[in-house]
Amino acid sequence: MLSERKKFFLCYFETTRECNLNCPYCMTRTTNKPRGAELTTEEIKRLVIDQLKDYCSHPAMAFSGGEFLLRPDALEILGYTARKGMWSFINTNATKLDKGLLLKIKEATDNKVIFVFSLNSLESKIHEWSRDDSLNTVVKAAKLCAGEKINFFFISTISKSNLHTFKETIGFLKSKGIPVLRSPFVLRGSGKDYSELLFSSQDMKDVIHPVLRDYHLSYVSYAPFFAGPEFLEAKQKQLNVSIGQFGCQAAKGFVGINAEGDVAPCVQLLDSEVKCGNVRETPLLSILNTNAVLLSLRERNSLKGKCGKCRYKSTCGGCRAVAYYKTGDYLESDPNCFFEPEDENTRSEHEEMQNKNADRFINFISRREPWSSLFNTEKTAQSLPERGRVINKMKDYFKSAVGALTGK
């Protein structure tokens, strides 16, 4: 029944392992030969996009790689996604993104597109080492998007390599009102050769968490997360917002699919033992509805250690990828969490602050396009004139940010 379908859900799809950069800890680069060929255009349409559309009422696709824009069928895939009424996120290194291609993408998607650019540090040497490319590439791409009124935000992968500049980087984005998504460095793919880059629970307590919890536009999918479950449930009902994107979202708010069609609870668990099937062998809809790994992570009753008895089990859950790569068990406690609950009644000292910022975040996404269209499924989307005013306001933010990055 339609009423039983999920509302918002994201499929993070690594469409290809091909890339024109050689980032040192690339997650998709593997020494083992992948099983099978990469999904074809028609397989992507039929086995991924169509199936996701059947799974929920407001799905979205996040296309990455490798480098998604190297696929010759990238525009066709984006156009098909838009015709299905879905938004597309494009995670790109931006090296191929000129104005001509940007306008083609805008047309193909009817501007239902959000670009995601990596910004690992404002210090160019640190960023350029981790990304195998100039910081200017990101600046140029952001400037292009701002000029064409196309949505974008940044993702920052946190490791020991950029830890000392993390506060400055997020502080800059906060000053410009630009959303940011954090991603923890894990030992997937080429990352297995850089174990020295793993950060610790002390790093989380002293550096990472204070920065993230202080900025409400970073409140998407990070752990530990200490907003109260009662508060979040009441707030989401109040605004009819369909968002479970707080805390770890493995299997709950998204899944990952690799280029060959394997499914995992999150993108960082792709190519690991935590495999949930392959879309060529089992329909994605069936995997999402019946796979035991996905179901256990959604229910969170199988979490072990302190994560299993924590008050924030439903709103945080601990990072399942970090748990897997550090302990070998995706259900174990998050080794990077510094909270030590005695039982499910133990409250974090940060709960009140995180409630306030979660409230700000939910209000932001319920009133701002494109987030309103994605998450606030009961609400009529803003009128075109209002949407235009919002985009123009964000454009001013983006121009300011680009100016700060370039020093102009």
Side-chain angles (χ1 to χ4, degrees), residues 96 158 179 199 204 220 259 349 363 367:
K96 298 295 182 182
I158 309 171
F199 58 83
M204 176 64 75
V220 174
E349 63 181 303
N363 278 291
R367 295 182 172 91

Side-chain angles (χ1 to χ4, degrees), residues 14-270:
E14 292 181 343
T15 59
T16 181
R17 295 183 189 270
E18 182 181 356
C19 190
N20 56 332
L21 296 183
N22 189 32
C23 302
Y25 51 77
C26 173
M27 291 197 301
T28 59
R29 190 167 61 243
T30 176
T31 55
N32 299 322
K33 184 177 180 180
R35 185 174 66 92
E38 295 182 353
L39 296 179
T40 66
T41 309
E42 292 307 312
E43 285 178 320
I44 291 171
K45 293 177 181 178
R46 178 170 52 88
L47 303 180
V48 179
I49 298 172
D50 288 354
Q51 290 278 301
L52 186 66
K53 183 65 177 178
D54 288 341
Y55 180 63
C56 66
S57 61
H58 286 64
M61 294 292 303
F63 298 107
S64 73
E67 175 49 50
F68 170 58
L69 296 181
L70 290 179
R71 282 193 67 121
D73 57 359
L75 288 174
E76 183 178 353
I77 292 170
L78 291 168
Y80 186 81
T81 304
R83 290 192 296 275
K84 287 289 181 176
M86 298 161 61
W87 281 79
S88 291
F89 293 78
I90 300 179
N91 294 56
T92 174
N93 62 36
T95 56
K96 298 295 182 182
L97 194 64
D98 57 21
K99 185 174 181 178
L101 179 55
L102 189 69
L103 292 177
K104 289 179 181 178
I105 292 172
K106 183 178 182 180
E107 180 180 7
T109 60
D110 194 26
N111 206 14
K112 295 179 72 171
V113 63
I114 303 166
F115 282 89
V116 186
F117 304 122
S118 290
L119 181 63
N120 289 340
S121 178
L122 292 180
E123 289 191 19
S124 58
K125 288 184 179 180
I126 296 173
H127 174 86
E128 289 165 9
W129 175 82
S130 66
R131 296 298 302 164
D132 186 36
D133 190 35
S134 170
L135 182 59
N136 289 332
T137 301
V138 176
V139 174
K140 180 182 177 181
K143 187 175 182 180
L144 280 172
C145 287
E148 298 302 326
K149 301 181 182 179
I150 295 175
N151 293 286
F152 71 90
F153 65 89
F154 293 105
I155 184 170
S156 186
T157 300
I158 309 171
S159 73
K160 286 283 191 181
S161 70
N162 65 346
L163 194 64
H164 65 289
T165 65
F166 185 64
K167 182 177 181 179
E168 176 191 15
T169 302
I170 304 303
F172 164 76
L173 296 176
K174 180 182 178 182
S175 72
K176 306 304 174 185
I178 299 177
V180 61
L181 176 66
R182 80 85 183 95
S183 178
F185 167 75
V186 295
L187 303 179
R188 182 191 166 202
S190 297
K192 68 180 185 301
D193 298 324
Y194 291 88
S195 59
E196 69 275 11
L197 295 183
L198 290 169
F199 58 83
S200 67
S201 60
Q202 198 65 44
D203 294 328
M204 176 64 75
K205 181 179 181 180
D206 295 342
V207 180
I208 302 168
H209 201 266
V211 171
L212 292 176
R213 69 173 180 253
D214 190 46
Y215 182 34
H216 70 288
L217 293 187
S218 73
Y219 273 37
V220 174
S221 186
Y222 76 82
F225 191 80
F226 302 121
E230 308 90 351
F231 168 80
L232 288 181
E233 182 179 0
K235 185 64 180 180
Q236 293 180 69
K237 285 182 178 178
Q238 174 193 348
L239 293 179
N240 288 321
V241 175
S242 174
I243 178 171
Q245 264 50 37
F246 299 108
C248 178
Q249 287 309 302
K252 189 176 179 183
F254 58 71
V255 292
I257 302 180
N258 68 16
E260 297 79 35
D262 291 333
V263 181
C266 83
V267 61
Q268 289 161 320
L269 289 171
L270 287 170

Side-chain angles (χ1 to χ4, degrees), residues 358-378:
D359 181 64
R360 294 179 66 193
F361 176 74
I362 293 172
N363 278 291
F364 175 87
I365 65 171
S366 68
R367 295 182 172 91
R368 293 285 189 96
E369 289 286 6
W371 319 112
S372 177
S373 294
L374 286 169
F375 297 120
N376 200 340
T377 59
E378 305 295 331

Side-chain angles (χ1 to χ4, degrees), residues 2-3 11 19 63 87 119 150 189 191 257 271 283 293 300 311 315 343 357 366-367 373-374 394:
L2 184 61
S3 61
C11 175
C19 190
F63 298 107
W87 281 79
L119 181 63
I150 295 175
I257 302 180
D271 303 330
V293 172
R300 295 189 173 173
R311 164 174 168 77
T315 54
D343 54 37
N357 272 335
S366 68
R367 295 182 172 91
S373 294
L374 286 169
M394 294 305 290

